[in-house]
Amino acid sequence: MYLEDEETVNDEKSREFGVLGDVLRELQREEMEETETCLVEIQETIITQDTMEILTEINATLKEIAETQKRILEEIKKNGTK
């Protein structure tokens, strides 16, 4: 189909539905934009949640390391005084 043919078809559709067709197209466009915005927000939320989970795991691991180091230090002090 040629570009001119497509324009003719689009013009015919516009005339067929008139102002109501324009309103419906605008509503569809707004809905699509809102859906895209929501999808971006959902992706950002998922990324934030994943980051929080990773940071929580890192924090727990660091606590375990600190406790292990403390026990090692206590053991060294205990064995060093003997």
Side-chain angles (χ1 to χ4, degrees):
M1 190 180 273
Y2 293 103
L3 183 58
E4 293 171 357
D5 292 340
E6 289 179 19
E7 289 176 1
T8 303
V9 170
N10 288 338
D11 289 343
E12 289 174 5
K13 286 182 180 176
S14 292
R15 275 187 249 127
E16 182 179 337
F17 294 106
V19 175
L20 184 57
D22 293 339
V23 170
L24 288 173
R25 277 189 289 281
E26 180 64 21
L27 288 172
Q28 285 178 325
R29 185 188 63 74
E30 289 176 7
E31 185 176 347
M32 287 175 58
E33 287 176 359
E34 187 174 316
T35 300
E36 289 173 3
T37 301
C38 288
L39 290 175
V40 168
E41 290 173 358
I42 289 169
Q43 288 173 335
E44 289 173 353
T45 301
I46 290 170
I47 290 169
T48 301
Q49 288 174 343
D50 290 347
T51 303
M52 293 287 288
E53 288 176 13
I54 291 169
L55 290 173
T56 301
E57 289 178 28
I58 290 171
N59 190 35
T61 302
L62 289 173
K63 283 182 180 180
E64 288 176 17
I65 291 170
E67 290 172 6
T68 302
Q69 288 176 335
K70 183 178 177 181
R71 284 193 301 267
I72 291 170
L73 184 59
E74 289 172 354
E75 193 66 31
I76 290 172
K77 285 181 182 178
K78 181 179 170 183
N79 290 333
T81 59
K82 286 185 177 182

